[in-house]
């Protein structure tokens, strides 16, 4: 079955550590996105990528980094510079940006700083 | 820049009652509009979308939405609420000249027996 797989589902991080959230899709989509979800704030865009080896910052990129070395994969690293990383992180993909294509979402990763 | 405003962070209805979730958008070009549903600790699932053409859009689970350009609105409705409709609903906007999709803050729907 085609879809987007995020792992792990739950992640615990100690303060000062970097962690990487995995996002893989087998939908052959060009565009991929990372959103952060906090209660009452909806989804805020962290980074997005329209094509392999290219990505752009979203509204809240500080303290995060990404890579897009393969079309199928778009991992997100939460660095120690991110002051409040506890949140629900959602990865999405769409056929291509700048179209009427909808986004398909993974099941999310809940990150907690301990 | 595009944006979406969802009026009402919480909506409560009785089972069998009309569901109305409000969404207003801002876009300098013709928008593409979407409604998504999210169940607890899960990703988002597409309910319906408007791109061009017919302004009344039907989606899954009996939901529909009407695009009203004059009111810059895209409200979501369902004639009769079911208990299983209890979830969080997000309105989103994109367009041909934007590389991303913008979401509203969400509306949590509660359905009372």
């Amino acid at each position: 079955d085609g879809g987007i797989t995020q792992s792990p589902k739950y992640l615990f991080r100690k303060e000062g550590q970097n962690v990487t959230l995995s996002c893989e899709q087998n939908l052959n989509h060009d565009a991929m996105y990372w959103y952060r979800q906090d209660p009452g704030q909806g989804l805020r865009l962290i980074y997005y990528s329209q094509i392999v080896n290219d990505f752009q910052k979203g509204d809240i990129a500080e303290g995060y980094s990404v890579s897009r070395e393969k079309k199928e994969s778009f991992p997100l690293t939460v660095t120690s510079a991110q002051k409040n990383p506890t949140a629900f992180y959602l990865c999405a993909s769409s056929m291509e940006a700048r179209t009427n294509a909808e986004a398909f979402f993974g099941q999310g990763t809940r990150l907690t700083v301990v | 820049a595009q944006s979406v405003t969802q009026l009402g962070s919480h909506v409560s209805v009785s089972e069998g009652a009309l569901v109305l979730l409000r969404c207003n958008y801002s876009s300098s070009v013709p928008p593409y509009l979407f409604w998504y549903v999210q169940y607890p600790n899960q990703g988002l699932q597409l309910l319906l979308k408007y791109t061009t053409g017919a302004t009344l859009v039907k989606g899954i689970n009996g939901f529909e939405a009407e695009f009203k350009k004059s009111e810059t609105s895209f409200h979501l409705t369902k004639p009769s609420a079911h208990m299983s409709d209890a979830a969080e609903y997000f309105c989103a906007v994109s367009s041909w000249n934007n590389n991303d999709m913008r979401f509203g803050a969400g509306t949590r729907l509660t359905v009372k027996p």
Side-chain angles (χ1 to χ4, degrees):
Chain A
D1 287 335
I4 299 180
T5 301
Q6 288 187 243
S7 62
K9 190 172 178 63
Y10 299 95
L11 186 58
F12 296 89
R13 189 195 94 171
K14 293 182 180 179
E15 288 199 25
Q17 281 184 338
N18 293 354
V19 290
T20 297
L21 283 60
S22 171
C23 178
E24 303 278 334
Q25 55 100 356
N26 60 4
L27 300 167
N28 200 33
H29 284 172
D30 287 320
M32 296 188 73
Y33 312 85
W34 274 106
Y35 292 91
R36 170 179 170 143
Q37 186 177 18
D38 296 282
Q41 297 194 49
L43 278 67
R44 293 183 290 167
L45 184 65
I46 304 173
Y47 270 96
Y48 61 98
S49 168
Q50 298 177 68
I51 197 168
V52 174
N53 292 323
D54 185 54
F55 49 83
Q56 288 80 41
K57 294 181 179 179
D59 297 327
I60 56 166
E62 185 175 352
Y64 300 97
S65 65
V66 293
S67 63
R68 187 86 186 274
E69 297 177 359
K70 298 185 301 181
K71 188 175 186 177
E72 303 79 20
S73 179
F74 192 41
L76 174 74
T77 297
V78 184
T79 74
S80 57
Q82 170 51 237
K83 298 306 179 188
N84 184 23
T86 294
F88 191 52
Y89 291 87
L90 286 162
C91 179
S93 71
S94 66
M95 199 172 300
E96 56 183 308
R98 296 184 173 228
T99 70
N100 58 14
E102 65 266 31
F104 290 78
F105 283 82
Q107 293 297 294
T109 293
R110 187 166 296 281
L111 174 63
T112 304
V113 174
V114 297
Chain B
Q2 300 174 117
S3 66
V4 165
T5 301
Q6 291 184 239
L7 301 176
S9 59
H10 292 89
V11 170
S12 181
V13 301
S14 297
E15 192 173 18
L18 171 72
V19 176
L20 170 60
L21 305 182
R22 299 177 186 274
C23 172
N24 288 88
Y25 70 91
S26 174
S27 178
S28 58
V29 298
Y32 305 135
L33 294 162
F34 307 82
W35 274 101
Y36 287 85
V37 61
Q38 184 183 36
Y39 299 98
N41 293 312
Q42 293 189 26
L44 278 66
Q45 177 185 2
L46 181 71
L47 280 176
L48 49 81
K49 70 176 183 181
Y50 168 79
T51 55
T52 59
T55 57
L56 182 62
V57 181
K58 295 186 184 297
I60 62 171
N61 300 339
F63 285 94
E64 62 183 38
E66 186 170 10
F67 171 64
K68 292 187 176 181
K69 183 178 179 180
S70 61
E71 299 177 8
T72 61
S73 69
F74 191 58
H75 302 330
L76 183 71
T77 60
K78 182 174 180 177
S80 176
H82 295 162
M83 297 297 291
S84 60
D85 294 328
E88 187 145 23
Y89 292 81
F90 292 92
C91 184
V93 62
S94 69
S95 65
W96 64 267
N97 67 344
N98 275 277
N99 295 322
D100 57 61
M101 184 177 290
R102 297 287 169 159
F103 287 81
T107 298
R108 182 169 300 279
L109 176 66
T110 301
V111 182
K112 299 175 291 186

